[in-house]
Amino acid sequence: MNKKSLAWAACLLFSLVSGLPAQAQSAYPAVPAAPPVYTQQQLDQMLAPVALYPDSLLAQVLMASTYPLEVVQAQRFVEARPGLQGDGLARAVAPMPWDPSVKALVQFPSVLAMLNDRLDWTQQMGQAFLGQQASVMDTVQNLRERARIAGTLESSPQQRVVVQDEMIEIVPVNPQVVYVPYYNPVVVYGDWWWPSAPPVVWAPPPRYRPPSYAPGFSASISFGAGIGVMNAVFGDARPDWRQRQVMVSQTRINNVTNVTNVNNINNTRVVNNVTVNQRPVVWHHDARYGGGGRYARQPAPALTPPPGPGQAQAQATPSWRDHPMPGAQPRPLPVADNVQQRVAQQDQLRQRQAVEQQHQREQQANEQQRQREQMIRQQQDQREQQGREQRQQQQAQERQWQQRQQETQQQLQHQQQTQQRQLQQQQREQQMRQQETQQQLQHQQQMQQRQLQQQQREQQMRQQQLQNQQHDQQRQMEQAREQSRQHQEQAQRQQVQQQARQQQQREQQRDQHPRREERPDERS
């Protein structure tokens, strides 16, 4: 059974109880039931999901938890107006007959959804806050101390953690902007000290989750988008940790229809039906459901009480004798002949009157029962109509959501196709640039090869020329050596010839002068 059905069942039960016949009710006033007393284990369980909220937001949550039916109504109000936010939502909520704390939480859809989805937990937290307010405040401080020791509760760009006189306060960095923290209460406080009783865990829907939120067993604290608040609507609520109570500015907004006349009287600004008192006061629950208690039922419709014994004769009760059949004459009472007969007649008259009164009471009870059944049928018809309208709204929202999903998918596909086309175009351009680069490199390589071949040919030609020159030089040298050799041979021949001629001449001279030669011999 979902929480909405539970809320409607509670309303139906209150209506049935309030409509019981007067005869079935006690003549003594009903003694109010004592509020339940929660143990420390139960307080730790129920307060773990909200103990690390900023002080102002935590105060609103604690106060709103004492009005669970208004929380359900506010959630339906928000779901029926998905596009309404900010100032427009605040103006739309202003005429609603809800507690200011419930109106303030309308600006925080994830917190309101959590209270609505876990309605049984919300009711228990509201009962604990009303009956054990000091224990609730102490439990919050204990949980914050455990989170600070675990290293998960610390100052951040969204909020500041201030420790004063052993009291831990969590305040926004900007008082006009409140960030909702998202965390897993099972691990954010370190090792949970009640193994058999884990804390209440509520996983926010994807539409409320911040990008850094990890749905697993992450001990970190994530923050969503900042939400701007106005003190006139938010109530400037704050916990007084030392006195263990909640302080609020008396802000009541009732049926705002025309905001034109503004008068300043004793620091109190009156704007038609809007009353804002800037002086903080201690918060007290507004028992608007009758009986002076938080969860008392609405006042039952006034029923005609049965006549007392002393009123039977004084009351002019119509009997069957006062309404004779058409055309018939009323039957006269027989005349009593003696006292005994008169006493018997009076006894019979009293018996008939008692029977008629009983019959009248039964008719009244049947009529009241018929009216109650008719009211219940009307309420059921209204609830069915509201259920149909809600289902239609949900279907419309689902269709819108599906349409948005399809549009988003189409946009993503279009973006992907565009990116693919751009990537393909870039790849083609890169391939063309690579081809051009390769062609340029090949051309340069070919030019270098040609130049190298040309240089090689030129070098070969130079070498050939050098070889030819060397050959010519060798030939010239050989020719010079040959000429030199020929000259030498010729000179040798000439010398030999000359020597031969000289020899001949000497021989001739010896022949001519033999005696001269002999004379010296003789002289010697």
Side-chain angles (χ1 to χ4, degrees):
M1 180 183 295
N2 56 19
K3 304 303 179 294
K4 296 179 180 179
S5 301
L6 181 62
W8 281 114
C11 293
L12 179 60
L13 181 60
F14 290 160
S15 300
L16 291 175
V17 173
S18 63
L20 291 177
Q23 293 83 350
Q25 297 181 2
S26 174
Y28 297 97
V31 179
V37 178
Y38 294 98
T39 62
Q40 188 60 47
Q41 173 183 338
Q42 294 172 329
L43 292 176
D44 289 343
Q45 283 181 286
M46 71 175 64
L47 294 173
V50 297
L52 303 186
Y53 279 13
D55 287 3
S56 56
L57 181 58
L58 175 62
Q60 300 290 359
V61 170
L62 293 176
M63 291 185 295
S65 65
T66 62
Y67 303 95
L69 296 181
E70 294 184 2
V71 169
V72 175
Q73 294 173 359
Q75 178 65 17
R76 293 178 182 175
F77 183 89
V78 173
E79 291 176 351
R81 298 162 179 81
L84 201 59
Q85 296 178 355
D87 297 339
L89 182 59
R91 288 192 295 270
V93 171
M96 304 305 294
W98 302 335
D99 189 77
S101 61
V102 178
K103 295 181 181 180
L105 291 184
V106 171
Q107 299 292 339
F108 299 85
S110 62
V111 179
L112 188 64
M114 176 179 63
L115 297 177
N116 177 76
D117 293 345
R118 303 299 299 270
L119 191 59
D120 52 349
W121 163 69
T122 303
Q123 291 176 342
Q124 293 174 3
M125 185 165 58
Q127 292 173 351
F129 185 58
L130 288 175
Q132 301 169 253
Q133 184 170 344
S135 299
V136 168
M137 306 295 280
D138 292 341
T139 301
V140 171
Q141 284 295 320
N142 184 27
L143 290 170
R144 289 184 175 183
E145 180 63 24
R146 288 179 179 271
R148 193 172 68 89
I149 294 174
T152 56
L153 180 60
E154 55 187 8
S155 298
S156 64
Q158 293 82 14
Q159 62 185 20
R160 292 186 296 108
V161 179
V162 182
V163 181
Q164 292 182 353
D165 298 334
E166 299 181 355
M167 298 294 176
I168 301 176
E169 299 179 359
I170 303 176
V171 295
V173 175
N174 184 357
Q176 301 299 325
V177 180
V178 177
Y179 292 85
V180 179
Y182 297 88
Y183 57 88
N184 187 347
V186 178
V187 295
V188 76
Y189 300 103
D191 295 334
W192 187 252
W193 49 98
W194 305 107
S196 61
V200 178
V201 178
W202 180 79
R207 64 180 181 273
Y208 298 135
R209 296 178 183 175
S212 59
Y213 175 76
F217 289 92
S218 175
S220 61
I221 299 178
S222 304
F223 294 92
I227 299 176
V229 296
M230 296 181 296
N231 290 336
V233 178
F234 201 59
D236 195 18
R238 59 178 178 83
D240 186 355
W241 299 111
R242 294 168 182 80
Q243 301 297 328
R244 297 188 294 184
Q245 58 192 7
V246 174
M247 306 296 294
V248 295
S249 296
Q250 288 184 340
T251 303
R252 294 294 181 267
I253 302 176
N254 300 320
N255 299 327
V256 177
T257 57
N258 185 14
V259 181
T260 55
N261 187 12
V262 179
N263 298 322
N264 293 325
I265 303 175
N266 296 329
N267 294 327
T268 300
R269 187 180 61 178
V270 180
V271 184
N272 283 349
N273 293 331
V274 181
T275 302
V276 180
N277 185 359
Q278 300 299 333
R279 297 182 60 185
V281 295
V282 179
W283 177 81
H284 293 286
H285 179 73
D286 183 7
R288 58 172 59 89
Y289 294 105
R294 167 62 193 91
Y295 296 101
R297 61 179 182 270
Q298 294 181 358
L303 300 177
T304 304
Q311 297 177 355
Q313 296 179 356
Q315 182 180 5
T317 305
S319 65
W320 59 273
R321 291 186 302 275
D322 297 330
H323 301 280
M325 296 296 293
Q329 296 295 330
R331 186 179 62 180
L333 292 174
V335 179
D337 296 335
N338 52 28
V339 177
Q340 294 179 354
Q341 290 180 355
R342 287 197 298 271
V343 171
Q345 289 178 358
Q346 291 177 359
D347 292 339
Q348 291 178 0
L349 178 62
R350 283 195 295 271
Q351 290 177 1
R352 283 196 297 269
Q353 289 178 351
V355 171
E356 291 172 358
Q357 291 175 359
Q358 181 66 24
H359 180 66
Q360 184 179 6
R361 287 194 294 270
E362 290 178 356
Q363 287 182 347
Q364 290 178 353
N366 292 333
E367 181 65 21
Q368 292 173 357
Q369 183 66 21
R370 187 185 63 78
Q371 292 178 358
R372 285 193 295 272
E373 291 177 355
Q374 185 177 1
M375 291 175 59
I376 291 173
R377 285 194 297 270
Q378 291 177 355
Q379 292 176 358
Q380 290 178 350
D381 294 338
Q382 291 178 358
R383 287 194 294 272
E384 291 177 357
Q385 181 66 20
Q386 291 177 356
R388 286 193 294 270
E389 292 177 355
Q390 289 178 359
R391 286 192 295 272
Q392 291 176 358
Q393 291 177 358
Q394 290 178 356
Q395 292 176 359
Q397 291 177 359
E398 290 178 356
R399 286 194 296 270
Q400 292 177 358
W401 182 78
Q402 291 176 357
Q403 185 177 1
R404 287 195 296 269
Q405 289 289 333
Q406 291 177 357
E407 292 177 354
T408 304
Q409 290 179 357
Q410 291 178 358
Q411 291 178 358
L412 289 175
Q413 291 178 357
H414 179 68
Q415 292 178 358
Q416 290 177 356
Q417 291 176 358
T418 304
Q419 291 177 357
Q420 289 179 356
R421 286 195 296 269
Q422 292 177 355
L423 182 60
Q424 292 176 356
Q425 181 67 21
Q426 292 176 358
Q427 289 177 352
R428 285 195 297 270
E429 292 177 355
Q430 186 176 2
Q431 289 178 356
M432 291 177 63
R433 287 195 297 270
Q434 289 179 354
Q435 290 178 358
E436 291 177 356
T437 305
Q438 290 178 357
Q439 290 178 358
Q440 291 178 359
L441 290 174
Q442 290 178 358
H443 180 69
Q444 291 178 359
Q445 289 177 356
Q446 290 177 359
M447 292 294 295
Q448 290 177 357
Q449 288 179 357
R450 293 196 191 94
Q451 292 177 359
L452 182 60
Q453 291 176 358
Q454 182 68 24
Q455 291 176 359
Q456 288 178 353
R457 285 195 297 271
E458 291 177 355
Q459 187 176 2
Q460 289 176 358
M461 290 177 64
R462 286 194 296 272
Q463 289 178 357
Q464 186 67 31
Q465 291 177 358
L466 290 174
Q467 289 178 358
N468 293 333
Q469 290 177 0
Q470 289 177 357
H471 289 310
D472 292 341
Q473 290 178 359
Q474 287 178 357
R475 283 195 300 271
Q476 290 177 1
M477 289 175 66
E478 289 177 355
Q479 289 177 359
R481 283 196 298 272
E482 183 66 24
Q483 290 177 359
S484 177
R485 185 177 59 77
Q486 290 177 0
H487 287 307
Q488 289 178 359
E489 289 178 352
Q490 186 177 1
Q492 288 177 359
R493 284 194 301 271
Q494 289 176 358
Q495 187 176 3
V496 171
Q497 289 176 2
Q498 186 176 0
Q499 288 177 358
R501 283 194 302 270
Q502 288 177 357
Q503 183 69 24
Q504 288 175 2
Q505 288 176 2
R506 282 194 301 269
E507 289 178 355
Q508 287 176 4
Q509 287 177 2
R510 277 193 305 267
D511 290 340
Q512 290 175 4
H513 302 284
R515 294 177 179 178
R516 287 181 184 176
E517 293 179 358
E518 291 177 356
R519 287 176 181 174
D521 292 337
E522 291 178 355
R523 290 177 182 176
S524 63

